[in-house]
Amino acid sequence: MTQEDLACIIKSVHSKLRRSCINGGDCNEVWENHLEDQQTLKDYAKAMKELATNHWEKDKSRETRIVWTERFITSYFCANGDLQKLINKDKRSLDFHSSELVESLSDEQSECSRCCGLVFNSSVDLDQHKSDVRLKLSERLKTPFEPLVKEIRVLDVGSCYAPFLKFEHFNCLSIDLCPACEDVRQCDFLNVSAHHTESHGSSVQAALLSEDKRSVTSLPLGWFHGIVFSLLLEYLPSPKQRWTCCVKAHQLLQVNSVLVIITPDSNRQHRRAQQMKDWKMAIETIGFKRCVYQKLDHIHCMAFRKTQHREDYSKVTDMSTHLYIPQDFNTQSDSQPIKLGNETRESLKRSSCTDSNCRLSLERSSSDSVRSNTQELSDTAEGVSSIPADKKRKS
């Protein structure tokens, strides 16, 4: 199939999920129904694998999402890498600010300690309270004693075809709703349970798998060094579900480890500037700090460092509405006709595609229409589509 045909299969699944939520459906129920539609899941996985391996990754003229992610995570954990630089920066900041903060504490200025979550109690000795504040502020500076150059534990969520297994220094667990190859384990990250573990060896991964070794039944809390959301969040039909995934990632990461988010966009960097700012604000509320952002030709690449450990996530301010994508506001469908092959027709029939973006047509109106549809589908293959100006989110 052509790139346009594959893109249409992917877009139809995304669009159907979002429409079901927008039209008043319960998003959790919509998701559960989606998980039961095995034929659609298989068609989606097959299309995504073919699109990624035969089209995106064969384009050697640009840096791919896989190459960018591997390069960042490796440099982040290596000796004198990004992590060590961030820790040194935090130490300098802590030395500068904490002494001034702690010395200013008094009965009347108890809220000076809000940043570390400790409220001064007049029944507690002030010197002891100052010591507690210093300890709390320094917790996030803890880091592994040695650079992680031999084994970096990575969780690739929505992996599809396990692209990170080729990197020997990654101990990678690849999961997906419907794996496109045997190296990927079946798992619904949105709803999978999590547990505490004392072990740090490879035996942990073996314990996560079902008896047939094909699916993941649970994930370990505070165990991973890196979690990758590559073209994942736009798959989820609601901001609340995206928020849930980001919170779960925070739970599964060690302090100072990283969440990498890749989201598609073929526009110029400033076009989605407000959306990227809102995402940053929301994700940092959970307990992350964005340490890297880069706009490549067709994607935004971001990495968030886990800066603090949390026991109680119920106290985190819910900022899920900030994790929107442009399609959340696009309730109207484009009527541009698209020519599809026979194989694509059958796939769309099986997935009950009713999206007018995927209406069958044997003719295109002009060469300009061909170029327009090709560009649009190139974007929407990664979850991006154009929206009318009056439907865009106003900041």
Side-chain angles (χ1 to χ4, degrees):
M1 287 190 285
T2 66
Q3 182 172 351
E4 291 91 336
D5 293 342
L6 296 168
C8 191
I9 294 176
I10 294 168
K11 183 181 178 183
S12 69
V13 174
H14 293 176
S15 181
K16 181 179 178 181
L17 287 171
R18 285 193 301 270
R19 285 201 321 273
S20 296
C21 290
I22 291 173
N23 293 336
D26 179 85
C27 289
N28 292 327
E29 184 177 343
V30 168
W31 188 251
E32 291 298 325
N33 293 336
H34 178 58
L35 297 180
E36 295 176 0
D37 190 352
Q38 290 298 310
Q39 189 58 59
T40 294
L41 293 176
K42 291 178 181 178
D43 290 341
Y44 184 97
K46 181 180 178 181
M48 179 58 77
K49 180 182 178 181
E50 186 175 344
L51 189 61
T53 57
N54 294 338
H55 297 279
W56 296 343
E57 293 185 15
K58 283 190 174 182
D59 185 357
K60 304 300 182 182
S61 64
R62 62 181 183 179
E63 186 175 25
T64 67
R65 59 197 174 98
I66 306 303
V67 172
W68 187 94
T69 301
E70 185 277 332
R71 177 174 56 80
F72 165 74
I73 293 179
T74 301
S75 65
Y76 179 82
F77 285 109
C78 72
N80 298 318
D82 296 337
L83 173 56
Q84 189 60 56
K85 293 176 183 176
L86 289 169
I87 290 174
N88 293 338
K89 181 179 178 181
D90 276 356
K91 286 181 178 178
R92 292 192 299 269
S93 178
L94 180 63
D95 290 340
F96 180 79
H97 293 289
S98 65
S99 59
E100 180 179 329
L101 169 67
V102 173
E103 293 305 323
S104 69
L105 288 174
S106 66
D107 291 351
E108 294 77 24
Q109 296 174 314
S110 60
E111 290 194 358
C112 290
S113 59
R114 284 181 301 174
C115 63
C116 63
L118 295 175
V119 178
F120 178 64
N121 188 329
S122 58
S123 65
V124 179
D125 182 73
L126 182 58
D127 291 335
Q128 178 61 46
H129 182 62
K130 291 178 180 180
S131 176
D132 292 341
V133 171
R134 285 194 181 97
L135 178 63
K136 191 72 174 180
L137 288 171
S138 62
E139 280 184 355
R140 63 177 179 169
L141 303 181
K142 296 178 181 179
T143 183
F145 293 104
E146 297 180 2
L148 299 173
V149 292
K150 294 184 178 180
E151 180 183 88
I152 303 175
R153 297 193 290 268
V154 176
L155 177 64
D156 183 17
V157 185
S159 177
C160 186
Y161 61 101
F164 294 106
L165 286 185
K166 61 185 178 183
F167 303 114
E168 295 182 356
H169 54 293
F170 279 8
N171 176 9
C172 187
L173 175 60
S174 305
I175 61 175
D176 201 297
L177 289 177
C178 184
C181 69
E182 294 182 354
D183 292 322
V184 181
R185 311 304 178 191
Q186 194 282 327
C187 178
D188 175 19
F189 184 76
L190 189 62
N191 295 304
V192 69
S193 62
H195 66 277
H196 291 279
T197 179
E198 298 291 334
S199 174
H200 294 282
S202 58
S203 60
V204 173
Q205 279 205 31
L208 304 178
L209 305 180
S210 59
E211 292 183 3
D212 60 7
K213 308 299 181 184
R214 294 181 180 179
S215 61
V216 170
T217 57
S218 181
L219 291 170
L221 294 167
W223 192 76
F224 293 98
H225 301 128
I227 295 180
V228 180
F229 288 174
S230 181
L231 310 182
L232 171 77
L233 295 181
E234 43 282 329
Y235 187 164
L236 301 168
S238 74
K240 185 66 175 179
Q241 291 169 327
R242 298 171 201 137
W243 171 263
T244 299
C245 282
C246 291
V247 171
K248 183 167 292 185
H250 191 272
Q251 295 173 317
L252 301 178
L253 285 167
Q254 293 184 1
V255 174
N256 284 323
S257 295
V258 287
L259 168 63
V260 175
I261 297 177
I262 308 293
T263 188
D265 181 12
S266 292
N267 297 299
R268 293 184 180 274
Q269 180 173 339
H270 67 274
R271 182 74 175 273
R272 300 276 177 83
Q274 186 60 51
Q275 180 191 349
M276 294 300 101
K277 289 179 182 177
D278 288 342
W279 278 32
K280 176 179 181 292
M281 183 187 303
I283 295 172
E284 288 187 345
T285 301
I286 301 170
F288 287 106
K289 182 69 176 178
R290 196 176 75 179
C291 53
V292 171
Y293 168 81
Q294 186 176 2
K295 175 67 171 72
L296 301 184
D297 286 345
H298 299 284
I299 52 178
H300 295 274
C301 303
M302 296 166 278
F304 293 85
R305 169 189 170 208
K306 178 176 176 177
T307 58
Q308 60 178 298
H309 172 73
R310 290 187 182 275
E311 291 290 345
D312 186 0
Y313 285 84
S314 65
K315 296 181 180 179
V316 177
T317 303
D318 187 341
M319 298 190 67
S320 58
T321 56
H322 285 62
L323 292 178
Y324 60 87
I325 60 176
Q327 297 92 322
D328 292 341
F329 307 97
N330 187 10
T331 58
Q332 297 181 353
S333 298
D334 190 359
S335 59
Q336 286 283 1
I338 300 172
K339 182 179 179 180
L340 303 177
N342 291 332
E343 186 176 354
T344 308
R345 293 169 186 261
E346 294 302 318
S347 295
L348 294 177
K349 288 178 181 178
R350 288 194 297 268
S351 62
S352 301
C353 174
T354 59
D355 187 357
S356 61
N357 281 313
C358 298
R359 290 174 184 168
L360 306 180
S361 175
L362 298 179
E363 298 180 354
R364 297 180 191 261
S365 58
S366 65
S367 59
D368 290 338
S369 176
V370 173
R371 286 193 295 271
S372 174
N373 285 329
T374 300
Q375 177 61 42
E376 179 187 351
L377 286 170
S378 176
D379 294 349
T380 56
E382 303 180 26
V384 177
S385 63
S386 301
I387 60 177
D390 61 336
K391 295 293 181 181
K392 292 180 182 177
R393 183 181 185 275
K394 297 182 179 179
S395 55

